[in-house]
């Protein structure tokens, strides 16, 4: 993409490979990668950027497959200017680049319960966009508001109602980029919150391939809710069970594999391409439909173009 781009205070990099910025370590280059210095830098850049130029906001790449041909867009990745965490009473305001786990820990130290964020991979911007949740709690249960910059450079404040949260999704204006979010949590004893998070981590590590190269849950649960972690949890319409029942636990395609430990985790088992990963995911969807009549919906976002034929 040959563009005349607006001046910035942050960093603009042309033809930037994206594989090292995603948890699955796959994907081709972005035409441009922009790392804004702060919200004002982001707003002025978007306001001056040709409205026809596609923009893609990227977090820490924890829930993302970038296809092998890369992205014909300006990819925007928020960094240090967007990771502050402020706590006042029961309210916690976090920059969009702050890691979910870090926000949970900081809140717990102040006696505010946002422990559900502790085991969610990724950053706050992505958590809001995806209505991330764990053990029966979701962003929608705690979010008060989110600050965002619209595609035309306008800054705006979005309420929970504006975001129209549902299972694993929200409704954001096209091209909008979340810059911070304010949550409210119940007050509790910091040591009890710390222990709860330790228990959550132990439970996660016992059931999920946390040491493997994955992007977390691959498909949404058809049941429409995440695992509660309780003994009375129902698994009939959980994605992992449908995948296992379809005989796809441990299935492989090139360097891609469905985890043996947790069938709903797609792994880069070594040398996988984005095509391997997405292709295996599509094979899983077809097999599950054949055995159950249910089409699984991707939870991992897939973006960009396939590699050009040689």
């Amino acid at each position: 993409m040959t563009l005349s781009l607006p001046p910035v205070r942050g960093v603009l990099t042309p033809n930037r490979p994206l594989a090292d910025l995603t948890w699955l370590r796959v994907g081709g280059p972005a035409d441009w990668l922009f790392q804004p210095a702060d919200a004002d830098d982001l707003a002025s850049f978007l306001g001056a950027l040709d409205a026809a130029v596609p923009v893609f906001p990227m977090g820490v790449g924890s829930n993302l497959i970038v296809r092998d041909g890369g992205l014909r867009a300006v990819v925007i990745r928020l960094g240090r200017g967007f990771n502050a965490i402020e706590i006042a009473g029961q309210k916690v305001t976090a920059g969009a680049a702050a890691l979910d786990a870090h926000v949970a820990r900081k809140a717990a130290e102040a006696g505010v319960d946002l422990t559900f964020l502790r085991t969610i991979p990724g950053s706050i911007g992505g958590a809001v966009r995806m209505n991330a949740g764990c053990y029966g709690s979701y962003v929608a249960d705690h979010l008060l508001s989110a600050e965002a910059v619209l595609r035309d450079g306008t800054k705006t404040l979005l309420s929970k109602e504006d975001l129209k949260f549902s299972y694993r999704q929200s409704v954001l204006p096209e091209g909008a980029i979340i810059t911070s979010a304010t949550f409210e949590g119940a007050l509790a004893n910091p040591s009890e919150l710390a222990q709860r998070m330790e228990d959550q981590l132990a439970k996660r590590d016992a059931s999920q391939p946390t040491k493997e190269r994955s992007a977390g849950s691959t498909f949404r649960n058809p049941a429409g809710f995440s695992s509660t972690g309780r003994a009375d949890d129902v698994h009939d319409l959980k994605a992992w069970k449908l995948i296992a029942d379809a005989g796809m636990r441990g299935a492989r395609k090139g360097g891609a594999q469905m985890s043996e430990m947790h069938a709903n985790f797609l792994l880069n088992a070594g040398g996988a391409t984005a095509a391997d990963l997405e292709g295996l995911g599509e094979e899983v969807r077809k097999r599950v439909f054949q055995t159950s009549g249910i089409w699984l919906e991707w939870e991992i976002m897939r973006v960009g173009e396939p590699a050009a034929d040689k």
Side-chain angles (χ1 to χ4, degrees):
M1 185 189 295
T2 303
L3 281 177
S4 175
L5 295 178
V8 299
R9 288 182 288 111
V11 180
L12 261 172
T13 309
N15 202 38
R16 172 63 159 84
L18 297 176
D20 67 318
L21 299 181
T22 73
W23 283 27
L24 284 166
R25 292 295 189 266
V26 297
D31 287 340
W32 290 90
L33 176 71
F34 177 39
Q35 297 163 281
D38 51 35
D40 289 338
D41 193 28
L42 174 61
S44 63
F45 175 80
L46 289 176
L49 184 66
D50 185 335
V53 176
V55 165
F56 177 71
M58 179 179 178
V60 293
S62 61
N63 188 48
L64 183 67
I65 292 174
V66 176
R67 296 186 177 106
D68 299 305
L71 267 169
R72 307 288 73 78
V74 176
V75 171
I76 296 177
R77 192 168 194 259
L78 307 184
R80 291 180 187 170
F82 299 86
N83 62 7
I85 301 170
E86 298 176 359
I87 302 171
Q90 293 177 244
K91 295 181 180 179
V92 178
T93 298
L99 295 177
D100 301 332
H102 191 45
V103 174
R105 289 198 303 267
K106 283 289 191 183
E109 289 169 6
V112 180
D113 185 1
L114 293 178
T115 52
F116 79 101
L117 288 170
R118 180 64 184 89
T119 57
I120 297 174
S123 54
I124 288 298
V128 173
R129 177 178 284 273
M130 289 292 294
N131 189 21
C134 196
Y135 301 128
S137 290
Y138 299 86
V139 164
D141 300 323
H142 298 275
L143 186 93
L144 296 177
S145 62
E147 293 183 339
V149 178
L150 303 181
R151 177 60 185 82
D152 65 1
T154 305
K155 293 181 181 180
T156 190
L157 185 68
L158 301 168
S159 68
K160 179 162 65 174
E161 291 70 31
D162 292 331
L163 289 162
K164 297 181 173 60
F165 286 120
S166 57
Y167 174 61
R168 289 291 186 264
Q169 61 188 8
S170 65
V171 177
L172 271 175
E174 186 67 30
I177 298 174
I178 293 168
T179 55
S180 73
T182 298
F183 303 89
E184 187 171 50
L187 297 176
N189 183 290
S191 61
E192 291 177 3
L193 295 177
Q195 184 58 54
R196 184 185 307 168
M197 290 189 293
E198 285 299 313
D199 294 344
Q200 289 173 350
L201 286 170
K203 185 180 297 184
R204 181 195 67 179
D205 292 347
S207 62
Q208 297 177 9
T210 54
K211 291 180 171 46
E212 306 288 343
R213 198 173 292 289
S214 84
S217 296
T218 305
F219 302 104
R220 299 175 182 178
N221 286 322
F225 53 87
S226 61
S227 295
T228 64
R230 297 192 300 263
D232 62 353
D233 205 355
V234 178
H235 300 294
D236 294 351
L237 284 177
K238 295 293 176 62
W240 72 264
K241 184 154 192 316
L242 293 169
I243 294 167
D245 290 349
M248 296 300 281
R249 183 192 293 273
R252 287 179 174 266
K253 181 180 177 67
Q257 180 185 8
M258 300 308 296
S259 170
E260 295 274 6
M261 186 179 196
H262 191 304
N264 193 29
F265 276 62
L266 177 61
L267 310 178
N268 182 345
T273 63
D276 290 340
L277 293 160
E278 189 170 14
L280 178 56
E282 288 301 324
E283 287 181 14
V284 168
R285 293 182 71 237
K286 290 174 186 174
R287 187 70 65 85
V288 167
F289 181 74
Q290 290 168 358
T291 58
S292 70
I294 294 172
W295 279 111
L296 292 176
E297 293 182 30
W298 282 91
E299 184 168 324
I300 295 175
M301 185 181 294
R302 290 102 51 236
V303 298
E305 302 176 348
D309 293 332
K310 294 181 179 178

